[in-house]
Amino acid sequence: MKIALISDIHANIEALEAVLSDIKSRKVDEILCLGDIVGYGANPNECIELVKKSCSLVLLGNHDAAAVGLLSTQHFNIHAKIAIEWTTDNLKKWGHDYLATLPLKEAKFSHTFVHATPYEPNMWYYITSLEEAAFNFQFFETPFCFVGHTHIPIIIVLEQEKEVYVHPGESLDYGALANVRFLINEGSVGQPRDRNPKSCYGIIDTDAKTFTYHRVAYDVQKAQAKMRKIKMPEFLITRLEEGR
Ligand code: ZN
């Protein structure tokens, strides 16, 4: 079975359409979305509609939660706050109602899926170190846990339930590995932050026993022009072309 994992779309419809068309060419069985459909970009309703239509599991992200009033923006930076205010004002009622029903964490196909962290997913903690990753391995029992939230693609391995390290490279062949578990961030579709402006997503192939990242070019300038039109902060606009 081939499962595509997408996350952190952030209302960037140009990026989402490019990624979905790339996924289509790879004949996957299911597409799962790990949250943050909205916030930052100019097309929240269009992105919700397309995710709803394309994905068999959709999780709640912190920007989705904030846009529908389930989370205060007090800990958001000023740019994110402005983007959330615009999003809240421009969400259609059906979009608002849909986001408000999304789950925080799910187990499916014997994997765990969550936007932020398996530990207290409603606290929106970030995994930015091996220590934080090691801590989080205690809060899921499946071989794999997929997360989003940081917008940085990374594969973290726990070996023999004690050694934690980062797997090098853009693909993982796990068939030959024994007694390992994985915490994988599939990167961001709509606002990559690893200095590569191309959209990022992942595919796990449970027959071939591989996980691979895919990078997809999209019309960044078109997404930026729309953001300028609705007066999004310039920082949010330029970061798309820089991938940061
Ligand atoms: Zn995000």
Side-chain angles (χ1 to χ4, degrees):
M1 180 178 212
K2 278 168 91 172
I3 307 162
L5 300 140
I6 64 172
S7 184
D8 297 277
I9 295 149
H10 288 292
N12 185 339
I13 192 74
E14 284 72 28
L16 179 60
E17 283 174 343
V19 162
L20 289 176
S21 109
D22 192 78
I23 290 174
K24 205 170 179 188
S25 74
R26 295 177 197 278
K27 311 223 177 318
V28 307
D29 300 291
E30 309 250 354
I31 307 172
L32 314 186
C33 174
L34 271 51
D36 275 3
I37 307 171
V38 305
Y40 300 135
N43 293 96
N45 297 299
E46 294 79 359
C47 286
I48 295 171
E49 194 174 10
L50 197 47
V51 164
K52 195 174 168 214
K53 202 170 73 182
S54 314
C55 300
S56 57
L57 172 71
V58 182
L59 300 181
L60 184 75
N62 53 321
H63 289 253
D64 306 320
V68 300
L70 293 171
L71 174 68
S72 152
T73 56
Q74 62 170 336
H75 298 299
F76 280 49
N77 66 49
I78 183 68
H79 308 297
K81 218 177 259 185
I82 291 168
I84 287 299
E85 277 163 21
W86 181 89
T87 304
T88 304
D89 291 346
N90 287 275
L91 264 187
K92 303 253 195 259
K93 191 187 176 296
W94 59 263
H96 177 287
D97 293 349
Y98 176 72
L99 292 182
T101 63
L102 296 177
L104 280 166
K105 182 178 167 182
E106 286 283 312
K108 196 174 158 91
F109 315 115
S110 58
H111 304 313
T112 304
F113 303 96
V114 62
H115 181 70
T117 52
Y119 170 69
E120 295 190 354
N122 61 324
M123 295 304 289
W124 312 108
Y125 296 125
Y126 291 87
I127 298 173
T128 55
S129 68
L130 283 181
E131 289 72 23
E132 285 157 355
F135 173 76
N136 271 281
F137 271 105
Q138 303 170 69
F139 298 93
F140 67 95
E141 279 153 22
T142 53
F144 285 84
C145 176
F146 292 94
V147 300
H149 203 36
T150 62
H151 299 206
I152 307 282
I154 191 165
I155 300 171
I156 299 166
V157 188
L158 173 68
E159 206 174 308
Q160 312 285 351
E161 291 294 321
K162 53 177 193 277
E163 199 197 341
V164 181
Y165 58 91
V166 175
H167 172 80
E170 303 225 321
S171 63
L172 168 74
D173 197 338
Y174 62 91
L177 303 173
N179 208 347
V180 282
R181 292 196 295 133
F182 303 93
L183 184 58
I184 297 182
N185 190 311
E186 64 284 337
S188 168
V189 169
Q191 195 199 76
R193 294 181 190 161
D194 61 337
R195 301 273 165 187
N196 179 349
K198 288 182 178 172
S199 290
C200 186
Y201 77 95
I203 293 179
I204 181 164
D205 184 330
T206 57
D207 300 317
K209 298 199 188 307
T210 57
F211 171 82
T212 43
Y213 285 110
H214 299 273
R215 304 302 294 237
V216 184
Y218 72 94
D219 194 341
V220 174
Q221 288 177 341
K222 191 173 172 190
Q224 289 177 313
K226 286 195 212 165
M227 289 170 77
R228 254 181 210 115
K229 212 167 168 185
I230 58 169
K231 299 190 167 54
M232 277 293 162
E234 194 58 30
F235 168 73
L236 296 178
I237 298 169
T238 52
R239 76 186 302 178
L240 291 185
E241 74 206 39
E242 293 162 356
R244 67 176 173 97

